[in-house]
Amino acid sequence: MAKQKTGIEQLSAGRFLKLAADRLKFVSAASDAPVSDLKDHLQNQLAEALHPHVQFLTVGEVIVHSDDMKSYILRADPQRGTKQPAWFSAGQYLSIAVFIDGKMYCRPYSIASSPRDTLDGFYMITVKRVQGGVVSGYILDNWKVGTSAAASAPLGEFTYEPLRDAKTVIGIAGGSGITPFRSFAKAISEGDEDFNLVLLYGSRTLNDAVFSDEIAAMAKDCDKIKLVNVLSDEKVRGKENGFITAKLIRKYAPKEGDYSIFLCGPQAMYRFADKEIETLNLRRKFVRHELFGEYFHPENDAEYHGDAEKTYQVTVRMAGKTTVIPCKGNTSLLRAMEDAGLNPPSDCRSGRCGWCHSQLLAGEVYTPASVDGRREADLIYGYIHPCCAFPETDVTIDVPPMPGL
Amino acid sequence: MTFARYLGTPEGTIYGYENSGVDNVVMRTAMKDLDYNMPHIHYCGGHYVRGDGFPSGYITGMMAANAAINELRRDK
Ligand code: FES
């Protein structure tokens, strides 16, 4: 009887060469209909619901605080494809896209409503007029009930993380920087966040302290929330007077154990408060800032070598198209691209999110150290964040196009 | 869900196409020039000829990098 061939002896070059032909036949005969639609998969549905590329919203209500400050209730717009606003973590922001004369401008606004409010179909943002700002003025003067708006998914890291943050958070809010804290307070009172919030709320007068009554009412019903008004221009009984100093923080901080400090407010407040906080010798992770916001006046920095008043030439390459635009030395490359109607991508506008990440192909730009969120690889390969890069010479940049809109 | 978000694959799977009787590592490798015929694009990872798994990821990644480097040298 012939000896049975073992596996390897059965292999023959002839058969092996036929394999490719067999596979080709098999592949050619297969149907080209998609096996399934991504929309039918639960995880993909969830990803799209929590992290949509764009959310279409409409203004449902306008709350007027003053001529220069209004809050907007933004409801999902199912007609344009957004069934429900995406859930978020208290403290996050939306990048709102506004079209002015056909040019797209994006600006980040903290969400003032609570995560639970998304289940009722809305977000709330508060807009304050920024001197020299294009978008805030446009929104305040033009948005009415029924206006269509477009927003990013909720973004940002100014959120409470129990593994990192202490059980008690001293919130330091200045002016419209109160908005994320309204969200934190509401989330705590609704049981979606669990920490003690001591809110030091700085404003000029009690009248300027938007949402103060509302937060005070939440504090009354929930012992995890405490509100302390700090008034700089007015003396009111039972309220603190002056600025938010280290001494004041110590007065309201827990006498024992760690505490975190969360800050949100104008840049001047950060500069003042950071000096005060330094004297408290807290661990670095216990001090957290909301986005710095757009950087102005690079010419005041010693490291800036451009000419603030000079108009430089910026050659922008985007998706295969090249455009040459002007940019003054004191204007960020991002703002110049917006003004030129190039619809560049942006979210945080503070050098943090990386959404505007672009390559510098020629020329020199200045990025202030306080908003330089680049990594070492970015520096080696010449990447910049146009939201906080100011030209010092004529430059050429390669910018990704804005997806989704 | 995070993989579904960033990869856009069904259910966020990271495992590439399933190996089967006629469509397996050997045959995919034998036919790779026919399947992947776009110039200057080099492939790697779980969807490429070797299928899923860390070793396949590493090896095809190395192959792609080498191919790209060789191509760049050649074009110089
Ligand atoms: S917009 Fe976020 S880094 Fe520039």
Side-chain angles (χ1 to χ4, degrees):
Chain A
M1 202 169 83
K3 196 175 140 237
Q4 191 76 41
K5 282 188 176 175
T6 57
I8 197 143
E9 289 163 340
Q10 284 178 13
L11 280 177
S12 79
R15 254 181 82 191
F16 185 74
L17 291 174
K18 226 177 118 280
L19 292 177
D22 284 351
R23 178 173 178 273
L24 190 61
K25 228 185 276 160
F26 175 78
V27 171
S28 314
S31 154
D32 58 2
V35 180
S36 64
D37 193 328
L38 274 191
K39 289 198 186 75
D40 300 335
H41 291 282
L42 184 67
Q43 293 306 319
N44 300 75
Q45 287 167 7
L46 204 56
E48 182 52 32
L50 290 176
H51 308 285
H53 286 295
V54 52
Q55 306 195 77
F56 294 107
L57 309 167
T58 34
V59 176
E61 196 186 323
V62 183
I63 301 153
V64 181
H65 307 295
S66 72
D67 262 0
D68 289 335
M69 197 165 175
K70 295 176 188 171
S71 292
Y72 297 90
I73 301 283
L74 300 175
R75 294 194 168 276
D77 185 350
Q79 268 162 10
R80 289 188 295 157
T82 300
K83 288 197 206 78
Q84 194 167 29
W87 181 267
F88 65 101
S89 295
Q92 288 194 300
Y93 68 88
L94 299 173
S95 176
I96 304 276
V98 173
F99 289 86
I100 305 174
D101 299 333
K103 298 172 188 168
M104 185 185 72
Y105 292 85
C106 296
R107 293 294 180 273
Y109 286 102
S110 289
I111 306 172
S113 50
S114 69
R116 197 157 288 220
D117 290 333
T118 59
L119 303 182
D120 290 328
F122 71 91
Y123 296 120
M124 180 168 84
I125 61 163
T126 302
V127 179
K128 188 178 173 193
R129 201 178 296 272
V130 179
Q131 285 312 319
V134 234
V135 175
S136 57
Y138 178 86
I139 292 180
L140 287 169
D141 299 338
N142 290 283
W143 275 18
K144 332 186 252 298
V145 171
T147 303
S148 306
S152 67
L155 301 165
E157 305 147 3
F158 188 63
T159 52
Y160 183 78
E161 167 50 65
L163 290 176
R164 175 196 59 213
D165 304 322
K167 191 74 196 168
T168 296
V169 171
I170 308 284
I172 299 186
S176 59
I178 190 66
T179 47
F181 292 109
R182 182 188 185 270
S183 184
F184 280 128
K186 196 151 186 278
I188 292 171
S189 65
E190 289 168 348
D192 289 319
E193 292 285 0
D194 183 17
F195 61 94
N196 302 313
L197 175 65
V198 180
L199 185 54
L200 307 182
Y201 182 4
S203 62
R204 294 230 302 260
T205 66
L206 200 53
N207 237 343
D208 292 327
V210 174
F211 301 133
S212 190
D213 294 345
E214 231 179 307
I215 296 172
M218 290 180 211
K220 221 163 141 203
D221 294 335
C222 175
D223 56 10
K224 290 182 193 155
I225 307 170
K226 182 175 172 65
L227 172 68
V228 180
N229 287 96
V230 186
L231 311 173
S232 63
D233 293 9
E234 175 179 58
K235 280 205 169 126
V236 176
R237 260 185 71 161
K239 309 284 179 201
E240 293 289 347
N241 172 255
F243 290 112
I244 299 171
T245 57
K247 195 170 150 219
L248 194 76
I249 296 171
R250 232 182 262 119
K251 176 172 169 188
Y252 288 100
K255 296 296 161 261
E256 255 163 54
D258 290 326
Y259 58 92
S260 289
I261 296 184
F262 282 22
L263 298 105
C264 183
Q267 295 173 4
M269 185 195 92
Y270 290 150
R271 279 191 273 267
F272 179 83
D274 282 342
K275 280 208 197 85
E276 295 290 319
I277 290 169
E278 229 175 83
T279 66
L280 298 168
N281 288 323
L282 300 177
R283 285 174 64 190
R284 217 174 79 182
K285 69 166 187 171
F286 287 137
V287 182
R288 298 182 49 73
H289 295 78
E290 176 51 315
L291 298 173
F292 187 75
E294 227 156 316
Y295 200 94
F296 297 108
H297 304 301
E299 67 275 16
N300 294 344
D301 303 349
E303 298 82 5
Y304 174 70
H305 298 302
D307 178 348
E309 288 307 315
K310 191 173 160 184
T311 301
Y312 294 100
Q313 223 181 49
V314 181
T315 307
V316 183
R317 298 214 316 223
M318 192 191 271
K321 243 183 88 187
T322 302
T323 322
V324 180
I325 61 166
C327 180
K328 270 179 78 173
N330 60 7
T331 306
S332 72
L333 295 175
L334 183 67
R335 176 66 196 272
M337 288 191 279
E338 287 178 334
D339 287 341
L342 293 182
N343 301 353
S346 79
D347 277 334
C348 72
R349 309 183 75 83
S350 308
R352 289 290 290 281
C353 72
W355 201 233
C356 66
H357 200 244
S358 301
Q359 198 175 16
L360 180 66
L361 300 171
E364 298 285 331
V365 301
Y366 166 63
T367 299
S370 60
V371 285
D372 194 349
R374 290 177 296 172
R375 300 174 182 194
E376 207 173 323
D378 293 326
L379 302 179
I380 295 172
Y381 294 104
Y383 280 89
I384 57 166
H385 292 137
C387 63
C388 45
F390 301 90
E392 294 181 316
T393 63
D394 290 345
V395 297
T396 302
I397 52 177
D398 190 74
V399 183
M402 176 83 172
L405 272 178
Chain B
M1 196 279 290
T2 302
F3 283 116
R5 175 184 176 195
Y6 286 107
L7 301 180
T9 52
E11 297 294 340
T13 176
I14 54 169
Y15 293 113
Y17 306 113
E18 193 183 12
N19 273 298
S20 65
V22 281
D23 186 32
N24 59 40
V25 180
V26 176
M27 290 176 238
R28 286 181 192 176
T29 309
M31 296 185 71
K32 75 174 180 354
D33 294 341
L34 194 73
D35 287 352
Y36 301 91
N37 50 16
M38 267 205 265
H40 311 303
I41 296 185
H42 304 282
Y43 296 82
C44 61
H47 284 76
Y48 191 45
V49 292
R50 282 190 56 116
D52 59 79
F54 278 107
S56 291
Y58 293 144
I59 291 170
T60 54
M62 192 176 74
M63 281 163 42
N66 280 332
I69 290 170
N70 286 336
E71 196 177 297
L72 285 173
R73 283 210 187 114
R74 216 181 30 239
D75 293 351
K76 240 192 195 159

